[in-house]
């Protein structure tokens, strides 16, 4: 009887085409975010993902004012704004005494404020809330297509550029000495992060997008010693968080985006405590022994 109830709890929401479309979109974005989150984590750029998520807002607002709410226009406007903001912040850190983190924080704070103003002028307060916190159950075919393209592009980039990405994450000096171009690889990865963040706007919004990138990667980092296993586990956790988060949203009546991030947060909490080598409990036992 219990098994029947569990199966009904899973199949009932998935029989709804709106929920099923939301689940597919979230899973596609989760694959890309899970992989790129590992890059941001090992390169100690985790907060860059959050900052970049807010930096795309002015481009989204301008595109909305000029071309309306079409997914293509919003995607292009946000992508251009994110890349420009990253370049301006990087330039500011090189031509002034500001450190890179301070330059990024200052530029992206301005972008965030400007984006909120522009989006509030282009649409209603409800539209602004959807951009900031996601509107997963309202995803249409264009947004689903963007999520699919983003996932394919990111997975293909990791498959084709496995070695350059590995080197830029762990030994960029060796990559440069061996004739590689870590700066170019970094820019490509930054562009992929911006693209995935734009796809994530429809899923969890700008405010919670960091959770989709960082939480699966941080959880996997606590369990894994090897890069390939970390990537695989991060993607698996991101996918599981998408499924269980949307099911939780359906049964508890919670917003789907925050539900997904909450489940990922639960995974991280368990990993933080119970990971066999790097978890808090394991370290405490080693210290006691």
């Amino acid at each position: 009887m219990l098994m029947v109830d569990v199966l009904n709890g899973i199949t009932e929401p998935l029989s709804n085409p709106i929920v099923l479309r939301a689940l597919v979109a979230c899973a596609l974005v989760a694959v890309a975010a899970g992989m790129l989150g590992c890059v941001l984590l090992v390169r100690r750029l985790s907060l860059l993902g959050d900052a970049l998520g807010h930096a795309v807002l002015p481009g989204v607002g301008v595109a909305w004012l000029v071309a309306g709410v079409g997914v293509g226009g919003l995607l292009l406007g946000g992508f251009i704004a994110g890349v420009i903001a990253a370049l301006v912040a990087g330039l500011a850190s090189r031509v002034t005494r500001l450190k890179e983190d301070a330059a990024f924080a200052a530029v992206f704070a301005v972008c965030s404020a400007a984006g909120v103003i522009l989006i509030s002028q282009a649409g209603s307060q409800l539209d602004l809330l959807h951009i900031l916190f996601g509107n997963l159950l309202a995803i249409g075919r264009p947004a689903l297509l963007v999520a699919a393209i983003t996932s394919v592009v990111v997975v293909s980039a990791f498959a084709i550029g496995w070695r350059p990405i590995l080197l830029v994450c762990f030994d960029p000096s060796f990559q440069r000495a061996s004739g590689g171009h870590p700066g170019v690889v970094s820019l490509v990865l930054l562009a992929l992060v911006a693209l995935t963040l734009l796809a994530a706007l429809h899923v969890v919004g700008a405010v919670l997008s960091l959770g989709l990138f960082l939480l699966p990667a941080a959880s996997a980092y606590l369990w894994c010693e090897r890069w390939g296993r970390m990537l695989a586990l991060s993607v698996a956790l991101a996918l599981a968080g998408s499924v269980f988060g949307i099911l939780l949203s359906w049964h508890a009546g919670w917003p789907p985006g925050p539900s997904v991030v909450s489940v990922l947060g639960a995974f991280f909490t368990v990993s933080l405590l119970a990971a066999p080598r790097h978890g808090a409990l394991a370290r405490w036992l080693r210290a006691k022994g």
Side-chain angles (χ1 to χ4, degrees):
M1 188 66 180
L2 178 61
M3 183 62 68
V4 173
D5 291 339
V6 171
L7 289 175
N8 287 336
I10 295 174
T11 57
E12 181 186 356
L14 297 183
S15 64
N16 186 316
I18 295 177
V19 177
L20 185 60
R21 185 186 300 123
L23 175 59
V24 172
C26 189
L28 288 168
V29 175
V31 169
M35 299 181 79
L36 291 168
C38 293
V39 174
L40 294 177
L41 183 71
V42 299
R43 297 194 67 197
R44 299 182 180 182
L45 296 173
S46 300
L47 291 179
L48 175 62
D50 184 48
L52 196 57
H54 291 77
V56 303
L57 293 179
V60 171
V62 170
W64 200 335
L65 286 169
V66 173
V69 294
V71 173
L74 298 183
L75 184 68
L76 180 61
F79 183 79
I80 292 174
V83 172
I84 290 175
L87 291 175
V88 169
L91 181 63
S93 67
R94 284 166 174 76
V95 301
T96 70
R97 66 178 298 184
L98 282 176
K99 299 296 184 182
E100 192 173 40
D101 58 341
F104 273 103
V107 171
F108 292 152
V110 173
C111 289
S112 182
V116 169
I117 292 172
L118 288 169
I119 293 170
S120 65
Q121 294 300 308
S124 64
Q125 292 298 314
L126 183 60
D127 295 321
L128 177 59
L129 286 175
H130 288 165
I131 292 293
L132 293 178
F133 299 103
N135 190 18
L136 187 54
L137 295 180
I139 281 183
R141 290 184 179 180
L144 186 61
L145 180 61
V146 168
I149 292 173
T150 300
S151 183
V152 170
V153 168
V154 172
V155 172
S156 299
F158 272 78
I160 296 171
W162 179 268
R163 178 177 169 81
I165 292 173
L166 181 65
L167 288 176
V168 83
C169 287
F170 294 99
D171 199 348
S173 298
F174 174 77
Q175 185 181 26
R176 188 179 296 108
S178 59
H181 302 283
V184 174
V185 177
S186 297
L187 287 176
V188 171
L189 289 170
L190 181 65
L192 292 176
V193 170
L195 178 63
T196 306
L197 282 167
L198 286 164
L201 284 181
H202 295 280
V203 177
V204 294
V207 173
L208 297 174
S209 58
L210 180 64
L212 203 58
F213 281 78
L214 182 60
L215 290 173
S219 300
Y221 185 70
L222 291 168
W223 290 90
C224 300
E225 300 291 339
R226 301 184 67 85
W227 176 242
R229 292 177 183 176
M230 180 181 170
L231 283 175
L233 182 58
S234 179
V235 170
L237 290 173
L239 289 172
S242 301
V243 174
F244 289 119
I246 289 176
L247 292 177
L248 176 64
S249 169
W250 173 273
H251 291 290
W254 295 352
S259 297
V260 169
V261 176
S262 295
V263 171
L264 293 174
F267 291 165
F268 173 68
T269 302
V270 172
S271 301
L272 196 66
L273 295 173
R277 293 192 61 183
H278 304 293
L281 181 59
R283 292 200 168 195
W284 180 76
L285 289 174
R286 285 199 297 271
K288 292 280 287 186

